[in-house]
Amino acid sequence: MAKITASEVNKLRQMTGSGMMDCKNALVEAEGDFDKAIEILRKKGQKVAAKRGDREANEGLIVSLADGTGKKGVITALTCETDFVAKNADFNDVANKIANIALNSGVETIDELKTQSFDGNGLTIGDKVMEMVGKIGEKIDVTALDFIEADTVVAYNHPGNQVASLVGLNAEGHSEVGRDVAMQIAAMAPVALDKEGVSQETIDKEIEIGKDLARQEGKPEEMLEKIAMGKLNKFFKESTLLNQAFIKENKKSVGQYLKEIDSNLTVTEFKRHSLS
């Protein structure tokens, strides 16, 4: 058995962030080989993740970023089980680094993102997440990845990083307008850009809900369809971005606000993620 010194244990602890006894046991098992010991610790993390696979990871951080050109943006989410972990500075650093890697790597899926280098020394994002699981003992994972490309892309992170949004506009030079709309998206959670973007399934569900409510109120059967359509139009107004009342000036819609800036200006796409 290789003799493991306290300085070696401390070195591995500094490299991985794992506990002292975990590091010592990994080095003993690896017979002093640091690379093997690191792999052992990662495997321990994978085992912990498997054991905690049925746990809810509803805390964490959502990070929204736009690149230097202002034409591409990304949203990622790194989730965990408790807000105590989410508020840790190291967790914050990892969440932001993952978002930056996603923005600049060109990956399209979470699985691809996890294969990207985290530190330039062979450690992937997936490896890093598993190390964190092993160190912290919570279920931790990358659970969201979305992109937008447009003439103007603006990212907005609500304080605390529990909600974030991205918005794309069809013209350049409108970052302030984009920020207003991105804040609207974060605050009002629209389901679609306009009524044409609402799925037929959602429309059918809203009509049925409208009929049921009217029926419970004792309205005549022949009036239910008309009443339900009125409620559907209200749903479109309240739940689609361009038709929502603009939060900074609620006498106009978001669409009207954009047209006042430029008659051709509109939103091409938006993304929103929330942990609540």
Side-chain angles (χ1 to χ4, degrees):
M1 179 185 295
K3 181 175 174 60
I4 306 302
T5 66
S7 62
E8 288 174 323
V9 172
N10 188 56
K11 178 182 176 181
L12 184 61
R13 182 174 182 273
Q14 294 298 319
M15 290 170 65
T16 65
S18 297
M20 293 293 285
M21 286 306 298
D22 289 333
C23 289
K24 180 179 179 180
N25 292 337
L27 280 168
V28 169
E29 185 177 340
E31 297 183 339
D33 186 311
F34 275 81
D35 288 338
K36 288 183 180 178
I38 290 170
E39 185 63 26
I40 288 167
L41 288 170
R42 290 180 192 160
K43 287 180 178 178
K44 179 198 170 191
Q46 291 169 349
K47 289 177 182 177
V48 173
K51 289 177 182 177
R52 303 186 74 86
D54 59 344
R55 298 293 294 272
E56 293 293 326
N58 295 325
E59 299 292 339
L61 295 174
I62 301 175
V63 180
S64 179
L65 297 173
D67 69 4
T69 70
K71 294 180 180 297
K72 181 179 180 181
V74 68
I75 291 182
T76 60
L78 184 65
T79 55
C80 56
E81 294 178 33
T82 63
D83 70 342
F84 176 79
V85 169
K87 290 176 180 177
N88 180 275
D90 289 340
F91 189 93
N92 185 291
D93 289 345
V94 172
N96 278 277
K97 188 168 183 178
I98 288 173
N100 274 283
I101 293 169
L103 182 63
N104 296 301
S105 64
V107 299
E108 296 182 354
T109 67
I110 291 174
D111 286 342
E112 288 180 306
L113 178 58
K114 289 180 179 179
T115 69
Q116 299 300 300
S117 173
F118 183 81
D119 64 355
N121 294 310
L123 186 74
T124 67
I125 288 174
D127 292 335
K128 181 61 181 178
V129 170
M130 285 304 104
E131 279 190 5
M132 294 171 71
V133 172
K135 175 185 175 182
I136 297 169
E138 285 196 5
K139 181 179 180 179
I140 298 171
D141 203 3
V142 180
T143 56
L145 175 65
D146 261 319
F147 294 96
I148 283 183
E149 292 189 51
D151 290 316
T152 296
V153 174
V154 176
Y156 173 73
N157 295 284
H158 191 71
N161 289 87
Q162 302 296 288
V163 180
S165 61
L166 277 177
V167 64
L169 302 175
N170 66 340
E172 297 180 352
H174 291 291
S175 57
E176 288 301 316
V177 175
R179 180 171 173 79
D180 284 343
V181 178
M183 290 174 65
Q184 172 93 21
I185 294 163
M188 302 305 294
V191 301
L193 183 59
D194 52 29
K195 66 179 183 180
E196 285 75 22
V198 180
S199 71
Q200 189 60 48
E201 180 183 359
T202 299
I203 291 172
D204 292 342
K205 182 179 73 173
E206 291 299 320
I207 291 173
E208 195 58 38
I209 290 171
K211 287 181 178 180
D212 284 346
L213 288 173
R215 192 175 287 115
Q216 291 171 31
E217 292 169 359
K219 304 297 184 184
E221 197 69 24
E222 63 272 17
M223 294 291 294
L224 298 186
E225 184 75 23
K226 183 178 180 180
I227 293 170
M229 293 308 296
K231 290 183 180 296
L232 178 63
N233 287 329
K234 183 179 180 183
F235 170 81
F236 288 147
K237 184 176 180 180
E238 294 177 346
S239 302
T240 61
L241 176 61
L242 295 178
N243 295 300
Q244 284 181 336
F246 181 42
I247 55 175
K248 284 192 170 183
E249 193 174 340
N250 62 18
K251 290 184 179 180
K252 66 181 69 170
S253 69
V254 173
Q256 289 170 333
Y257 164 66
L258 293 172
K259 296 304 180 189
E260 288 180 1
I261 303 297
D262 181 330
S263 60
N264 295 315
L265 185 62
T266 192
V267 175
T268 59
E269 189 178 5
F270 72 87
K271 304 290 183 183
R272 179 185 186 274
H273 283 278
S274 170
L275 291 175
S276 59

